[in-house]
Amino acid sequence: MRRLAAQDSVGAASLRLSAGQACRPWNGMPVSIRICTCVLIVIAAFVIAPGLFAPGALEQDALLGAVPPGTAGHPLGTDSLGRDVLKLLIAGSRSAMVGPCVIAVGSIVIGILLGGIAGWYGGAADWIISRYADITLSMPTLLLAIVAAGIIGGGYWVSVLVMVILYSPFDIRIVRSAVIAQKGKPYIESALILRLSTLRILARHIFPNIALVIFVNLFLNIAYGLVSMSSLSYLGLGVAPGDADWGRQLSDGRSILFDNPASALCAGAFIVVTAVCVNAVGNWLTERNALG
Amino acid sequence: MNDSLRYILRRVAEFVVSMAALAFVIFSLLYIAPGDPARSLVGTKHVTPELLAQIRAKYGLDDPFFVQFGNWISGALHGDFGESIRAGQPVLDYIAPHAAVTFQLVLLSLVLSVVFGVFFGIVSAKGRGKLRDSAINTVALVGTSAPSFAVGLFFLYVFALKCGWFPIYGIGDGGALDQLWHLALPAIALTFAVSALLVKITRSAMLLETEKDYSVFLRARAIAPLRITMAQLKNASAPVLTSTGLVLANLFGGTVLVESVFSIPGLGNLLASSVTFHDVPVVQFIALMLAFIVCFASAVVDIAVYLIDPTSRQRRRLYREVEATG
């Protein structure tokens, strides 16, 4: 992009080209992936501006109580506190999605740092980092997260931090093997001969070549993070009672399954549909770029 | 032989280090937990400072961190895991009935997962590119994405509440068959979430075998398709076996949530409530035991696969990556 823009005489042409490039993935998508992308865009809109789509989601109406779907003014009914289920779902997307995104980004940052060091330097650093990743990978993630989040308390961000630590070993492995795969290539040899600094080689030469692997992995981690975080909030860990969150709503809605099944079922559906969409798009990206 | 021995020793060492690291992590997590353990030991009763000091001395709460850790480990190695704060009885006695329920549930789901996962994996590989292949893949995608508690809740609503085919909660009180009946729906929910992984791995392993020369020759010699499939399955079994360790880990992770959905008095529910109650010895024991089972199973499976098929190392690494990338 930058290189194209630098040739200012063809500025207009390069702009057109980049617009075409932006459309290209969309045109190449199968219908199912297009639908998934649209769903994710809608969820992203809910995350960015929940107040716009669902103003007053936490307003209670204790007199009303739990009413079934189809009640006037409440298309999906209300929960036991008389809160509108549809609005709660929309408001809950922020709590459900921000954590997983932070988990995915945080763990990939650790992955890039440690995996890059292990892959580039090899030797003792590689050995230590790889053993660390082996051991952490063999640990039951959800179990440790439940114990850590439950015992330390500390709420949402502590759970996110625990997840970042437990998710990172896999990213370390991926980045490490991607760096090793690039290391032997001629362009790195020539960069070494030019005596470019290590940091420069890693950041400007290797990173752009492994960025796609990293991005796809980041994307798939969001789906895992969503499942893990909603599992924690389902158990009542990580989110305060009364907060809008899909996992929390599912566990609260379980007790009013007779009065308004929509509360729990729709929360579950939101989690499942979002996770399926993220996974489907991630798998498609993997296959299309033959990263498997 | 020398090579195998070295591999086994390395794998055992890895297991021991993992367990030591896990024990350390679990212990230190509970050590740094906020709140005075002596206070939670006496509960809400009013106590004098002298009594508190007595309790601290009895449980060694004033000892340095590593002394406490050493005491806990040496107790654990001798089968002494302390007393439950909530129940006041030895942890082992307190946990045994819960553990029995969870083991039944996990065993049931493990059998179902392997049977259905391998079966649908074969069907999908045999019908590659056909409608049934994409249908199975779509269901498997939902299975890998959906958290077990959401699946459990859907099943609970549809099959127990609406259709009335299954009991809604608990494990019943009418003997073994009744208990099996109560565990059926949770087990199916767990299976749905876990077997998707096996479907995927079986499918790709079977596809690899189908492309090999021997499969082509068998087909050319008009051997019955079922016999060909059995031969391929035998050769594809290493990655499937290897993933059983991961399946077991997922089952023990998922059971915590599914038990909570169906109100089953198993280890998962006990762990969740003990965490909220800060019943530290119970949490320590359950976490350590489940971690032990998961690590032990994966070590045993790795060694078994290595002994059966020493050339599997390369492939095993490949499948591990398939598993982890989903």
Side-chain angles (χ1 to χ4, degrees), chain A residues 135 138-139 142-143 146 148 150-152 170 220 224 227 230-231 234-235 250 254 258 261 264-265 269 271 275-276 279 283, chain B residues 17-18 22 29-30 33-34 141-142 145-147 149 153-154 157 161 253 256-257 260-261 263 275 278 290 295 324-326:
Chain A
I135 288 167
S138 69
M139 295 183 180
L142 189 61
L143 202 71
I146 290 170
I151 292 292
I152 301 176
F170 191 70
L220 289 172
Y224 286 108
V227 170
S230 58
S231 301
Y234 172 78
L235 290 174
L250 202 151
R254 189 177 157 267
F258 282 103
L265 293 179
I271 299 171
V276 166
N279 269 328
N283 288 342
Chain B
V17 174
S18 299
L22 268 170
L29 271 179
L30 295 165
L141 175 69
V142 176
S145 313
F149 62 90
L153 195 97
F154 282 117
Y157 182 70
L161 216 61
V256 179
L257 300 152
S260 147
V261 171
S263 315
V275 161
H278 283 242
L290 295 187
C295 290
T325 44

Side-chain angles (χ1 to χ4, degrees), chain B residues 225-265:
Chain B
L226 189 67
R227 275 186 67 189
I228 303 184
T229 306
M230 291 322 277
Q232 289 167 342
L233 185 63
K234 200 181 147 207
N235 291 325
S237 59
V240 178
L241 249 176
T242 312
S243 60
T244 331
L246 196 75
V247 166
L248 211 59
N250 287 351
L251 278 176
F252 276 112
T255 190
V256 179
L257 300 152
V258 168
E259 281 175 17
S260 147
V261 171
F262 291 92
S263 315
I264 291 169

Side-chain angles (χ1 to χ4, degrees), chain A residues 3-15:
Chain A
R3 218 160 288 150
L4 279 175
Q7 301 165 335
D8 49 9
S9 59
V10 288
S14 71
L15 209 69

Side-chain angles (χ1 to χ4, degrees), chain B residues 193-323:
Chain B
V194 168
S195 61
L197 180 82
L198 277 168
V199 170
K200 263 177 142 175
I201 289 170
T202 310
R203 180 178 182 273
S204 36
M206 285 298 280
L207 283 180
L208 265 181
E209 295 302 320
T210 317
E211 282 159 11
K212 285 188 180 160
D213 287 344
Y214 78 88
S215 298
V216 179
F217 289 135
L218 287 179
R219 266 204 305 281
R221 289 179 57 195
I223 306 288
L226 189 67
R227 275 186 67 189
I228 303 184
T229 306
M230 291 322 277
Q232 289 167 342
L233 185 63
K234 200 181 147 207
N235 291 325
S237 59
V240 178
L241 249 176
T242 312
S243 60
T244 331
L246 196 75
V247 166
L248 211 59
N250 287 351
L251 278 176
F252 276 112
T255 190
V256 179
L257 300 152
V258 168
E259 281 175 17
S260 147
V261 171
F262 291 92
S263 315
I264 291 169
L267 281 183
N269 249 336
L270 186 65
L271 176 68
S273 65
S274 302
V275 161
T276 332
F277 198 87
H278 283 242
D279 192 346
V280 172
V282 173
V283 175
Q284 276 172 340
F285 179 73
I286 297 179
L288 197 68
M289 182 177 70
L290 295 187
F292 177 82
I293 294 171
V294 169
C295 290
F296 186 72
S298 94
V300 168
V301 167
D302 276 356
I303 291 173
V305 170
Y306 185 90
L307 290 182
I308 295 166
D309 177 12
T311 58
S312 66
R313 294 184 81 165
Q314 201 53 42
R315 253 188 301 154
R316 220 187 56 237
R317 204 164 303 142
L318 178 87
Y319 281 102
R320 248 193 201 161
E321 261 148 49
V322 171
E323 284 164 16

Side-chain angles (χ1 to χ4, degrees), chain A residues 44-248:
Chain A
F46 290 164
V47 172
I48 293 165
L52 195 70
F53 298 97
L58 292 175
E59 274 168 26
Q60 301 181 1
D61 187 350
L63 288 176
L64 188 61
V67 296
T71 313
H74 301 293
L76 290 177
T78 53
D79 72 357
S80 53
L81 296 173
R83 297 181 296 182
D84 185 73
V85 166
L86 183 62
K87 282 183 179 175
L88 267 184
L89 284 170
I90 295 173
S93 41
R94 178 173 277 182
S95 158
M97 293 306 293
V98 168
C101 292
V102 174
I103 292 170
V105 171
S107 90
I108 202 73
V109 167
I110 297 181
I112 291 171
L113 289 177
L114 293 183
I117 293 172
W120 182 256
Y121 290 105
D126 183 24
W127 193 86
I128 293 170
I129 291 172
S130 294
R131 290 295 82 73
Y132 162 75
D134 280 349
I135 288 167
T136 2
L137 258 184
S138 69
M139 295 183 180
T141 312
L142 189 61
L143 202 71
L144 275 184
I146 290 170
V147 173
I151 292 292
I152 301 176
Y156 193 73
W157 294 107
V158 171
S159 315
V160 169
L161 185 71
V162 171
M163 289 290 180
V164 167
I165 294 168
L166 293 174
Y167 272 54
S168 59
F170 191 70
D171 292 336
I172 294 176
R173 273 198 181 176
I174 287 203
V175 175
R176 175 182 170 272
S177 45
V179 168
I180 288 175
Q182 296 295 325
K183 212 165 92 176
K185 292 194 174 170
Y187 77 95
I188 297 299
E189 265 175 49
S190 50
L192 284 170
I193 291 167
L194 285 172
R195 291 179 177 267
L196 299 181
S197 73
T198 307
L199 195 64
R200 195 182 158 91
I201 295 178
L202 282 173
R204 295 291 298 274
H205 296 260
I206 289 187
F207 184 75
N209 283 299
I210 63 172
L212 196 65
V213 186
I214 290 174
F215 175 74
V216 169
N217 191 50
L218 178 95
F219 206 73
L220 289 172
N221 269 348
I222 293 177
Y224 286 108
L226 170 63
V227 170
S228 305
M229 283 302 285
S230 58
S231 301
L232 285 185
S233 61
Y234 172 78
L235 290 174
L237 307 168
V239 287
D243 276 358
D245 180 282
W246 296 343
R248 184 93 218 178

Side-chain angles (χ1 to χ4, degrees), chain B residues 17-175:
Chain B
V17 174
S18 299
M19 276 318 295
L22 268 170
F24 185 73
V25 168
I26 291 168
F27 186 83
S28 34
L29 271 179
L30 295 165
Y31 183 82
I32 59 170
D36 182 359
R39 267 248 159 251
S40 33
L41 275 170
V42 289
T44 47
K45 278 177 294 193
H46 176 76
V47 284
T48 56
E50 290 78 42
L51 187 61
L52 265 186
Q54 226 173 351
I55 291 170
R56 299 188 71 88
K58 184 188 164 199
Y59 288 92
L61 292 172
D62 292 320
D63 293 341
F65 173 76
F66 279 101
V67 174
Q68 287 192 41
F69 182 58
N71 287 340
W72 180 62
I73 286 288
S74 72
L77 290 175
H78 290 99
D80 171 22
F81 293 92
E83 274 181 9
S84 159
I85 292 171
R86 191 158 44 153
Q89 51 184 138
V91 169
L92 278 179
D93 300 346
Y94 181 51
I95 276 173
H98 299 273
V101 173
T102 293
F103 287 152
Q104 283 169 15
L105 179 59
V106 168
L107 199 67
L108 192 60
S109 326
L110 184 67
V111 173
L112 289 177
S113 301
V114 171
V115 170
F116 283 102
V118 171
F119 177 75
F120 283 112
I122 294 172
V123 171
S124 154
K126 289 288 152 189
R128 184 186 196 174
K130 290 186 188 152
L131 183 66
R132 57 172 181 269
D133 182 28
S134 41
I136 291 173
N137 279 331
T138 309
V139 176
L141 175 69
V142 176
T144 40
S145 313
S148 52
F149 62 90
V151 177
L153 195 97
F154 282 117
F155 283 7
L156 177 77
Y157 182 70
V158 175
F159 297 118
L161 216 61
K162 283 284 143 181
C163 302
W165 296 344
F166 292 94
I168 296 173
Y169 64 86
I171 54 164
D173 46 11

